[in-house]
Each structure stands twice: as C-alpha cells, then as structure tokens.
Amino acid sequence: QVQLVESGGGLVQAGGSLRLSCAASGSIFSILVMGWYRQAPGKQRELVALTVNGGSTTTTNYADSVKGRFTISRDNAKNTVYLQMNSLKPEDTAVYYCNAVLKVARTTPPGNYWGQGTQVTVSS
C-alpha cells in the first residue's frame, strides 16, 4: 500500500541543475529516514544523501562526491523528500532511487521502501 513516487529526472547538460522529488503515500504513521541512492551502469548502488528524523531535529549527510553541489530537504507535512542537484557533471549520470524507512502504524516495526528509480543523464 505504501508507495514512493519520484519525479524530476531527465536530461541536462553539464553545469545544469535538476530537482528530484519523492513523495511517500499510503498508510504512513511516521517516517524515520528518507534519502537518495544512485546506480550507474556497471557500478554498485551508492548513497547520495540522507535525512534522518531525530524527533524535533533533522540531520543530513552526503556522499563526498556531491558535497557542496547537492542539497537534500524534506517536507514532513507532505511526506516528501527533495534532492536539489546543482553543477551537474557527466559522472552524476545514474538511476536515482528514493528510499524511506517508515512505520505504517505505531506498533509496527519499521520497513524499508524504495521508489522505482528515475533516470538522470548529464551530457558533456
């Protein structure tokens, strides 16, 4: 019943920008973690950015390769996470996957959910 719906991927030239969105829908009690991963052809999936809800505070972390260029943000009211990608490089080309760790009920153990992936292609 829970789904992660992604949008914002596409083709962009090097130096350009894209903004990815991922909205979690369905029966959701709380979201503990939301983040973005990516996988380029022939490579392993890697973490891009995470945002962790620590109650009243939120922490973020980034892969070294995107620090200073990408920004992750979260709208808790909409159960949505964003990834603002600036100064894009050809090596950023990959399928980007949205991920969430969430609970569907107060007493239900957290589950790990993935979006379907969205293609980001950066041309030189």
Side-chain angles (χ1 to χ4, degrees), residues 38 46-50 60-72 83-89 92 96:
R38 68 186 182 186
E46 64 176 350
L47 171 70
V48 177
L50 283 174
T60 60
N61 62 286
Y62 299 88
D64 288 340
S65 60
V66 307
K67 287 181 179 177
R69 299 188 298 121
F70 291 10
T71 302
I72 188 170
L83 185 68
Q84 179 66 47
M85 304 184 293
N86 298 326
S87 301
L88 283 163
K89 305 174 181 179
D92 294 318
Y96 284 70

Side-chain angles (χ1 to χ4, degrees), residues 15-62:
S17 298
L18 284 173
R19 182 177 174 88
L20 304 183
S21 300
C22 173
S25 62
S27 298
I28 300 172
F29 176 77
S30 64
I31 299 178
L32 288 71
V33 182
M34 296 192 80
W36 293 93
Y37 294 74
R38 68 186 182 186
Q39 187 167 22
K43 295 185 177 181
Q44 292 183 304
R45 187 174 299 187
E46 64 176 350
L47 171 70
V48 177
L50 283 174
T51 177
V52 181
N53 188 348
S56 60
T57 61
T58 300
T59 59
T60 60
N61 62 286
Y62 299 88

Side-chain angles (χ1 to χ4, degrees), residues 66-106:
V66 307
K67 287 181 179 177
R69 299 188 298 121
F70 291 10
T71 302
I72 188 170
S73 60
R74 184 171 166 180
D75 186 336
N76 291 323
K78 297 181 179 179
N79 290 331
T80 299
V81 66
Y82 306 93
L83 185 68
Q84 179 66 47
M85 304 184 293
N86 298 326
S87 301
L88 283 163
K89 305 174 181 179
E91 47 263 49
D92 294 318
T93 296
V95 177
Y96 284 70
Y97 296 91
C98 178
N99 173 261
V101 179
L102 58 84
K103 301 178 67 174
V104 299
R106 183 181 64 85

